[in-house]
Amino acid sequence: MGAGILLTMRGVSKSFPGVRALKGVDFTLREGEIHALMGENGAGKSTLIKVLTGVYSKDAGEIRLAGHPRALNVRSPREAQDLGISTVYQEIGLCPNLTVAENMFMGRSKSPFLNWREINGKTARILGELGIPAKPERQLANCSLAVRQMVAIARAVDMNCRALILDEPTSSLDESEVEGLFALMGDLRARGVGIVFVTHFLDQVYRVCDRITVLRNGDLVGEYPLAELPRLALIEKMMGKELQELSGVHAEARDYGGLTPVVEVEGLRSDQGIAPFDFRNYPGEVTGFTGLLGSGRSECVRAIFGADKVTGGRVRVKGKAARITKPLEAMRLGMAYLPEDRARDGIVSDLSVRDNIILALQVMKGFFRPFTRKKATELAEGFIGLLSVKAASLDTPVGTLSGGNQQKVILARWLLTKPDYLILDEPTRGIDVGTKTEIQKLIVRLAAEGMGVTFISSEIEEMLRTCSRLIVLRDRKVVGTVSGSELTQDNVMRTIAEGSASPAGAAPPDGSAA
Amino acid sequence: MRSLAKNPLFVPVICLGLVLLFNCVTNLGFFEISIKRNNVGNWILAGNLISVLNNASELVILAIGMTLITSASGGQDISVGACVAIAGGVILKILASKSGVPVPVAVFFGCLVAMAFGAFNGILVSIFNIQPMVATLILFTAGRPISSWITGGLSPRITNPILDAVGNVIPGVPVPTPIFVAAFCVALAFMAIRFTNLGLYAQSVGVSDKAARLVGLNPRRVKFIQFVIMGLCVGLVAFIKVSRVGSIQYNYIAKDIEMDAILAVALGGNSLSGGKFSMTGSIIGAYTIQAITTTLLANSVPSDALPAYKAIVIIILVAIQSPAVKAFWRKRFGGPRGREAEPGQNGTLPGTVPGAGEGGA
Amino acid sequence: MSFIGKDGRARGEPMSDTTFLLIITVVIFLAMYVSAAILFSGKGFAKPQMFFNLLNENAALIIISCGLSIVMIAGGIDISVGGMTALISVACVVHLNDMEGSGFLTSLLLALGIGLAFGLLQGYLVAYLDIQPFIVTLAGMFFARGQAAMIETQTRTVANESFSALAQARIRLPIGSMNNNGVFVQAYMELGVIIALVTVAALFVTLRWTTFGRSLYAVGGNKQSALMLGINVKRTKFLSHVLCGLLTGLGGFVFLLHVRSGAVTHAAGYEMDAIAASIIGGTMLTGGVGNIFGTFIGVLTKGAIGNIVRAMGLVGSWWPGITLAAMLCFFLILQSVITSRKRA
């Protein structure tokens, strides 16, 4: 192992049923560097981290750590911690009902009794050294998220961690809290700790990182020193450059001048922290919300559908003012929404394919007017044929189908309601290529039949192929719109990278941060 | 064989079969049915089988409500016995105080009060997000005191031909009337499932709260409704209970029936953590429980000791359903079939800690 | 009470949930008791013996509630404690009356053994087979009562000399009050109270100053996080049930010392009383928050409700049950509001 190299992963692969999450990925972490791990949804970032920290076992490949002559075989997060590899997750990892000091020392003491004076004293010293503004005796729930994260980092540092993995640490922090965290990270870097920084905020990457590793679809795209990878190039590498010509499928800009938009919103915002945005979608038009993971694209469409609590703004549906406070109201106005998280929000896993397909239409039809079994079978079969869903029978629990077939079932559920406006949030995520293409073609066909469609995907080429107008988001704010002949990969990426509006809390890019 | 074992009615039918088989072997007299005159001179069928059908009536009705609550909220209502005491107290009080109040009116008010208490449980569960078993603990504690409060601690005895007809037999019909009441409720339940979306909504909410919301359902309302329906079931059960003896003892009426109702749901092959349910299974389960009870009593087990046997049955049932035991059997006898294995548990390395997967997910 | 000031407001720190709920409980209890002493001065609330009777009558419940609080702090629940108490009372009476060479010591061992057996089995089912604790302990409750009925269906009084001597032991206190004839009567405590107070103190120390005690809070607060912090979650849950079983065994013994008889119907509703006392004492049903001292106050509050209801002239046997349930309802909703506010 070369000088300064702390940790290497070589040819790491990991498969789940139906998905190859990592395909021979290499990763190298050096002492005293902050290394950004970048990639879109499904790129394999979190799988890589979980393999490294022993949450998942790898299928192939090897992990080496400086100072250990043999390849590591990490079996649990605990073991990883003992080896000096610690992870700080945004949400979990600490107990909010305990004090700061307890969280620092819980699970580490060998003695059955606790000496609070000593523990609190030690904690105060460590917190002081690292400049973390927290009191040892304070209950963690009463600390800000930023402080909680810093406490988790302090715990890791105190356990002699050499490699520190920060998984999306900044997504809930405000500007000054981010500053505090970065100062702490800089301090640790100076002590020789190697930090893996996972984030979707590009500005932050360019502020603090030394090196970037990019993953896409489970493949390693490459490892680059920060200075050699300008922002635009990074986005290209994350979202995929190879735009294949796809015959027949390409959206064209049309003039919707005479038409009434199926949906039109003004200054809409929700409790999920998106900045107020304007948006309209004409019949027959395919629009898209794009931006990096966490930029607020899902939150925008959820606000339109009433899935999150709407806190302000105006909505007009087919020209008429509407107030949507819950999904049922949106459905009655002719909207449909295929949610981002299929397993959690989409399928009702234990119920049959038939019940899953008719569910939305059934709810709209009303409590006292159930479909007869014959009618339900008829409706479900129609769509199973149309979308070629592969299921043993209509009575098969939907949870046992493959991801692609589950997605088709949910698609069938919404098409059955004959919506005027269909929102598809990452319908192609985690499903096979054949099904992906089928879904893209379907979108274009539905639009040709006069349906308004909004399509969200992590893969830019998909969106370019199907959408005629893209709304670009960054940091939960609409930063631009790209449409018509401007709709090229370069333009979209540039808008994501630079935007037309200056984003809040973003510091100027500083490629030379060292 | 495999498809048979996968049928949701497999467990309840097997259990019922085992109980009957046990009786076949030990005591064939169990199956004897005779017809005799009761103490007021009406012809009535007698025998252990009839007694199972008759005495299971209350349990069957409660099992209907318990199945729906379990499905939608993933928990159980443990206050049903206490609420039967309340509703019974109300019915008795009305009948005892003003002579001339028709029985149906008293029953109507009994049901209304029971549904109000059901709604109280429902509000705690749906609005305040309290686990069903804990929320219903309040009425479990307070129900019987409230009942004695209503009746002033007295247990007046009512003689009324209608009550007698409902609680025992209708003159000329030799079959105990509670069997018909239970059959009527079962029919009503199946009609409700057939002609409304009660079952579909309850299951959808029970399986996935979030997905149900996104298809336009109101999970809170769906859960709430199940508790109100349970209230109606409780009211009807109280009516049968009061009719049987024309009185109530608020400390003993419907004692431990919540345990039996929960057991009926579990025996019916339903998961106690909610979601998909089989109403037929629960009803067979209820009759099975009563068959077990009657069998034990016929074998001179003291009635106070019955719960011990039932407790063992329920523990075995839930233990078989537990993920740890299922995983054990799968490892022992062949690989997983049907379901996809969880990511993180199918690695090639030995000794992967399955629990560790939870940590990072 | 120094432990309130420790992380309390003195330093301008926000209160922890545990402290907040404990303060509410203590304030309610004091307000209740003091106002009762003033309003019903004729009924003897101001007499020390009234207070010590509260302890005498509730000593067993205090120990049992402490055990339950421990399970609840670790995020579980145990509703078998009442049934176990009845089983212990019956088993011990049969043992004391019908067996040669039995004495209070062997009956204590028997009580602890029964408690331990329940704790081990229930703990295993909950922690290692991952079955809902409510279902497991509901079955445990019915099993215990059924088992008691199998042993003996009649109510029997203890007729064992060494045990009776112990049960009748009175600890005289240097305080007291004048009786109607103007004679000074010393207040007294039963032996069970001493056991209960020692238990409360020992558990208070365990929960505050031992690694195991804090692990209980961590597991109850967030299982996933506790796992990430390197705590053996399953073992902690298991041990919480074992400890609860043992404490119920001890509580059952103290119960027998007080009532000196065994019956299937004994300790009816104890599980509810114990849960109510824990909840009133500031133990959160969601786990991770709670205090043994609060549970102690919770039991006293529950006992005082009975006295006050009687003093108010509400003679119906139903009033204590209804008021207790109303109080339980109030605290449950309070907890629910606290939890949802945290989430928002």
Side-chain angles (χ1 to χ4, degrees):
Chain A
M1 218 175 262
I5 289 181
L6 188 63
L7 176 104
T8 53
M9 300 174 82
R10 289 282 166 266
V12 172
S13 297
K14 175 72 190 170
S15 294
F16 298 116
V19 190
R20 287 193 67 193
L22 287 179
K23 302 164 206 164
V25 171
D26 297 345
F27 181 73
T28 308
L29 183 66
R30 293 159 189 81
E31 278 172 17
E33 75 168 356
I34 300 180
H35 194 138
L37 185 58
M38 306 291 291
E40 277 288 273
N41 266 338
K45 289 171 301 185
S46 59
T47 312
L48 188 73
I49 288 173
K50 285 177 179 171
V51 166
L52 179 58
T53 53
V55 176
Y56 293 158
S57 56
K58 57 191 184 307
D59 295 345
E62 65 167 28
I63 305 174
R64 284 182 179 277
L65 187 65
H68 290 258
R70 293 173 46 194
L72 299 183
N73 184 5
V74 189
R75 280 190 294 257
S76 71
R78 187 78 203 272
E79 211 176 303
Q81 271 178 22
D82 293 343
L83 287 165
I85 306 170
S86 288
T87 317
V88 173
Y89 294 97
Q90 191 202 103
E91 291 299 331
I92 51 162
L94 297 180
C95 291
N97 61 327
L98 302 182
T99 66
V100 169
E102 284 178 290
N103 271 298
M104 290 276 296
F105 286 95
M106 185 60 76
R108 294 168 55 192
S109 161
K110 295 276 182 291
S111 127
F113 292 96
L114 300 167
N115 180 345
W116 285 113
R117 188 184 297 271
E118 188 190 318
I119 289 172
N120 286 339
K122 259 198 213 165
T123 307
R125 209 191 63 231
I126 299 163
L127 294 178
E129 261 176 42
L130 295 173
I132 298 169
K135 287 205 175 106
E137 299 93 348
R138 181 177 286 194
Q139 193 187 345
L140 199 72
N142 292 328
C143 299
S144 69
L145 271 178
V147 170
R148 291 188 210 185
Q149 240 148 29
M150 291 179 180
V151 170
I153 294 172
R155 178 183 157 102
V157 170
D158 192 49
M159 288 172 80
N160 293 320
C161 105
R162 299 158 71 196
L164 179 65
I165 300 156
L166 302 175
D167 193 358
E168 299 277 5
T170 55
S171 43
S172 315
L173 307 188
D174 70 27
E175 207 178 327
S176 62
E177 289 172 331
V178 170
E179 289 306 316
L181 183 67
F182 284 174
L184 178 57
M185 284 164 67
D187 188 22
L188 296 181
R189 168 164 58 189
R191 293 170 182 226
V193 177
I195 298 176
V196 180
F197 183 37
V198 181
T199 184
H200 52 257
F201 294 107
L202 290 192
D203 295 324
Q204 297 180 356
V205 170
Y206 284 93
R207 274 210 48 208
V208 295
C209 294
D210 305 308
R211 207 176 286 272
I212 302 176
T213 291
V214 182
L215 300 178
R216 191 173 69 238
N217 286 332
D219 287 310
L220 175 71
V221 177
E223 189 203 270
Y224 314 89
L226 189 86
E228 290 171 22
L229 191 69
R231 194 174 284 241
L232 195 57
L234 170 61
I235 296 170
E236 280 173 5
K237 299 213 181 293
M238 285 166 67
M239 299 187 97
K241 179 78 180 163
E242 319 82 51
L243 184 63
Q244 299 142 358
E245 275 306 313
L246 199 79
S247 54
V249 188
H250 193 76
E252 280 170 31
R254 274 169 49 193
D255 184 17
Y256 297 99
L259 291 169
T260 318
V262 279
V263 63
E264 189 175 12
V265 306
E266 247 175 81
L268 194 68
R269 57 185 191 275
S270 77
D271 64 349
Q272 296 300 305
I274 39 165
F277 69 99
D278 300 343
F279 171 72
R280 71 171 64 85
N281 204 119
Y282 291 98
E285 185 187 29
V286 183
T287 55
F289 282 83
T290 186
L292 297 175
L293 181 62
S295 56
R297 51 198 192 194
S298 288
E299 285 78 1
C300 284
V301 291
R302 286 178 68 92
I304 295 173
F305 190 66
D308 292 331
K309 191 172 160 41
V310 174
T311 51
R314 274 194 300 259
V315 181
R316 298 174 74 81
V317 178
K318 285 171 265 180
K320 281 197 204 102
R323 227 177 78 83
I324 299 172
T325 55
K326 54 185 183 194
L328 187 60
E329 287 165 0
M331 286 158 65
R332 292 203 191 289
L333 291 167
M335 295 190 196
Y337 169 60
L338 183 140
E340 181 187 14
D341 189 332
R342 179 182 65 230
R344 198 188 64 192
D345 299 341
I347 58 167
V348 184
S349 58
D350 290 352
L351 293 192
S352 66
V353 171
R354 180 195 299 108
D355 285 345
N356 268 281
I357 291 179
I358 62 156
L359 193 54
L361 186 61
Q362 182 67 81
V363 170
M364 284 170 75
K365 197 171 168 219
F367 181 79
F368 290 105
R369 299 174 58 209
F371 290 114
T372 60
R373 198 180 160 85
K374 188 161 156 268
K375 180 77 181 158
T377 306
E378 217 172 87
L379 291 172
E381 264 170 357
F383 276 93
I384 285 211
L386 187 74
L387 300 174
S388 58
V389 178
K390 287 179 197 69
S393 82
L394 283 178
D395 293 309
T396 313
V398 79
T400 61
L401 304 185
S402 73
N405 282 310
Q406 288 181 4
Q407 201 65 283
K408 285 180 183 172
V409 167
I410 301 172
L411 205 52
R413 173 194 292 171
W414 289 115
L415 292 181
L416 193 56
T417 65
K418 300 205 173 57
D420 301 314
Y421 177 52
L422 176 64
I423 305 166
L424 302 170
D425 195 350
E426 299 247 26
T428 55
R429 178 164 151 199
I431 65 181
D432 59 286
V433 180
T435 313
K436 272 185 188 178
T437 319
E438 279 177 53
I439 289 180
Q440 290 165 23
K441 284 184 180 157
L442 183 73
I443 291 169
V444 175
R445 202 174 77 217
L446 290 170
E449 289 166 8
M451 195 184 286
V453 181
T454 291
F455 176 51
I456 295 177
S457 170
S458 289
E459 289 171 49
I460 190 77
E461 59 262 54
E462 271 196 334
M463 300 195 65
L464 290 172
R465 223 178 275 160
T466 44
C467 301
S468 57
R469 186 157 52 91
L470 288 182
I471 318 301
V472 182
L473 287 139
R474 191 175 62 205
D475 299 342
R476 303 186 168 247
K477 205 172 203 171
V478 174
V479 291
T481 303
V482 188
S483 63
S485 55
E486 298 166 19
L487 204 56
T488 62
Q489 185 139 14
D490 283 348
N491 272 333
V492 174
M493 304 241 171
R494 201 168 298 123
T495 316
I496 292 176
E498 286 140 29
S500 49
S502 91
D510 181 4
S512 59
Chain B
M1 190 62 207
R2 255 181 196 171
S3 60
L4 193 68
K6 275 200 166 176
N7 189 306
L9 295 184
F10 181 72
V11 177
V13 169
I14 288 288
C15 289
L16 186 58
L18 282 178
V19 177
L20 295 180
L21 189 71
F22 175 81
N23 282 302
C24 268
V25 175
T26 59
N27 174 20
L28 268 178
F30 190 86
F31 297 95
E32 260 170 33
I33 292 175
S34 59
I35 185 158
K36 36 178 125 153
R37 274 180 191 275
N38 68 1
N39 48 10
V40 288
N42 289 320
W43 288 103
I44 185 165
L45 287 173
N48 280 326
L49 278 188
I50 297 298
S51 132
V52 168
L53 287 177
N54 184 9
N55 290 327
S57 306
E58 290 95 328
L59 189 53
V60 167
I61 297 171
L62 290 181
I64 293 169
M66 194 68 86
T67 309
L68 291 173
I69 286 182
T70 302
S71 169
S73 67
Q76 286 77 36
D77 182 348
I78 60 168
S79 72
V80 287
C83 287
V84 167
I86 297 176
V90 170
I91 295 173
L92 201 65
K93 174 89 178 174
I94 293 175
L95 288 177
S97 61
K98 294 195 196 83
S99 51
V101 177
V103 173
V105 175
V107 174
F108 174 76
F109 278 104
C111 288
L112 214 59
V113 169
M115 283 161 84
F117 279 101
F120 171 77
N121 284 334
I123 288 170
L124 290 181
V125 171
S126 60
I127 309 285
F128 290 101
N129 276 324
I130 302 175
Q131 304 163 36
M133 283 193 155
V134 176
T136 53
L137 195 65
I138 294 171
L139 280 180
F140 182 102
T141 318
R144 293 176 194 278
I146 289 175
S147 172
S148 61
W149 180 29
I150 289 170
T151 57
L154 305 170
S155 324
R157 199 170 187 87
I158 310 276
T159 39
N160 181 312
I162 302 180
L163 282 192
D164 198 49
V166 172
N168 297 301
V169 287
I170 300 166
V173 183
V175 180
T177 320
I179 296 180
F180 293 117
V181 181
F184 172 73
C185 289
V186 169
L188 211 61
F190 279 111
M191 301 249 288
I193 291 172
R194 174 79 176 68
F195 294 111
T196 74
N197 285 312
L198 190 65
L200 183 68
Y201 286 11
Q203 296 183 64
S204 304
V205 169
V207 175
S208 173
D209 218 306
K210 289 202 170 95
R213 209 178 86 80
L214 285 180
V215 295
L217 288 173
N218 182 341
R220 285 186 168 176
R221 195 182 301 160
V222 172
K223 285 181 192 168
F224 175 77
I225 286 170
Q226 316 304 334
F227 281 90
V228 177
I229 293 174
M230 181 54 126
L232 181 61
C233 297
V234 162
L236 291 172
V237 167
F239 177 43
I240 299 180
K241 281 277 181 207
V242 171
S243 303
R244 280 191 197 272
V245 282
S247 184
I248 65 164
Q249 277 184 296
Y250 57 84
N251 265 338
Y252 295 100
I253 180 176
K255 194 164 177 288
D256 298 347
I257 205 166
E258 50 276 350
M259 173 76 171
D260 282 353
I262 295 169
L263 191 49
V265 174
L267 262 181
N270 299 306
S271 158
L272 289 183
S273 41
K276 208 166 163 57
F277 70 80
S278 153
M279 189 59 84
T280 318
S282 293
I283 290 163
I284 298 177
Y287 282 111
T288 311
I289 306 285
Q290 191 58 47
I292 295 174
T293 308
T294 308
T295 306
L296 290 173
L297 288 176
N299 286 287
S300 53
V301 171
S303 66
D304 280 342
L306 289 178
Y309 292 91
K310 292 181 189 163
I312 294 173
V313 175
I314 200 166
I315 281 298
I316 292 174
L317 277 175
V318 289
I320 291 172
Q321 285 179 14
S322 82
V325 174
K326 272 186 182 162
F328 172 80
W329 287 113
R330 206 178 299 140
K331 211 159 62 180
R332 220 49 197 292
F333 304 103
R337 33 181 191 91
R339 296 297 280 238
E340 291 177 12
E342 296 286 317
Q345 294 191 8
N346 56 342
T348 51
L349 289 176
T352 303
V353 188
E358 297 166 8
Chain C
M1 276 176 276
S2 63
F3 46 86
I4 291 179
K6 190 121 188 166
D7 46 3
R9 279 176 166 160
R11 298 184 202 169
E13 287 278 310
M15 267 190 282
S16 71
D17 293 346
T18 304
T19 314
F20 176 67
L21 289 170
L22 181 65
I23 288 176
I24 290 183
T25 309
V26 172
V27 166
I28 285 184
F29 174 71
L30 288 180
M32 235 171 63
Y33 204 87
V34 169
S35 52
I38 295 168
L39 288 173
F40 311 114
S41 50
K43 314 252 177 176
F45 274 94
K47 285 186 190 166
Q49 188 58 48
M50 188 81 163
F51 180 76
F52 286 106
N53 276 344
L54 212 55
L55 288 176
N56 289 337
E57 272 155 34
N58 290 298
L61 189 59
I62 289 170
I63 300 175
I64 292 168
S65 302
C66 286
L68 190 65
S69 293
I70 285 171
V71 172
M72 283 168 69
I73 287 170
I77 198 155
D78 186 342
I79 57 172
S80 69
V81 291
M84 276 161 68
T85 308
L87 174 61
I88 289 165
S89 77
V90 171
C92 286
V93 166
V94 169
H95 166 75
L96 286 167
N97 291 3
D98 300 354
M99 285 184 203
E100 288 290 315
S102 58
F104 71 87
L105 207 59
T106 53
S107 64
L108 174 62
L109 287 178
L110 179 64
L112 290 177
I114 293 173
L116 182 64
F118 268 83
L120 287 171
L121 188 64
Q122 294 186 152
Y124 179 78
L125 290 169
V126 170
Y128 292 102
L129 293 192
D130 218 9
I131 306 173
Q132 293 176 38
F134 225 116
I135 294 286
V136 170
T137 56
L138 185 73
M141 157 170 129
F142 282 94
F143 182 78
R145 291 229 184 252
Q147 196 63 46
M150 283 190 216
I151 297 173
E152 178 64 70
T153 47
Q154 301 298 313
T155 303
R156 291 179 65 182
T157 309
V158 176
N160 177 297
E161 277 169 24
S162 79
F163 187 88
S164 299
L166 194 72
Q168 279 159 4
R170 296 277 181 276
I171 292 103
R172 303 276 161 194
L173 296 164
I175 48 173
S177 56
M178 298 291 172
N179 72 1
N180 293 340
N181 303 329
V183 181
F184 183 79
V185 179
Q186 275 186 316
Y188 70 87
M189 287 193 295
E190 291 174 13
L191 182 64
V193 178
I194 303 291
I195 301 180
L197 292 179
V198 170
T199 308
V200 169
L203 290 176
F204 185 81
V205 170
T206 306
L207 286 189
R208 177 123 191 97
W209 282 284
T210 69
T211 312
F212 168 67
R214 300 320 288 176
S215 306
L216 290 171
Y217 283 89
V219 169
N222 189 329
K223 259 196 300 186
Q224 306 283 316
S225 301
L227 198 71
M228 301 295 285
L229 290 178
I231 292 167
N232 189 332
V233 172
K234 289 185 175 180
R235 196 178 62 199
T236 307
K237 270 182 165 181
F238 175 68
L239 287 178
S240 75
H241 278 275
V242 173
L243 192 54
C244 177
L246 273 175
L247 286 168
T248 309
L250 186 63
F253 181 75
V254 170
F255 179 83
L256 189 64
L257 275 180
H258 185 70
V259 301
R260 279 177 270 162
S261 70
V264 179
T265 50
H266 268 347
Y270 251 44
E271 52 280 339
M272 300 313 142
D273 289 350
I275 292 172
S278 294
I279 290 176
I280 292 171
T283 309
M284 292 267 273
L285 273 162
T286 43
V289 176
N291 189 311
I292 287 297
F293 183 74
T295 304
F296 175 67
I297 299 287
V299 176
L300 294 186
T301 308
K302 183 242 141 208
I305 289 174
N307 290 345
I308 291 170
V309 164
R310 231 170 291 134
M312 284 167 74
L314 299 169
V315 286
S317 61
W318 46 85
W319 285 114
I322 293 177
T323 35
L324 183 65
M327 205 142 178
L328 184 61
C329 183
F330 168 75
F331 276 91
L332 275 176
I333 291 177
L334 180 73
Q335 289 190 2
S336 161
V337 170
I338 288 176
T339 322
S340 62
R341 202 197 51 201
K342 279 262 150 71
R343 239 177 253 144

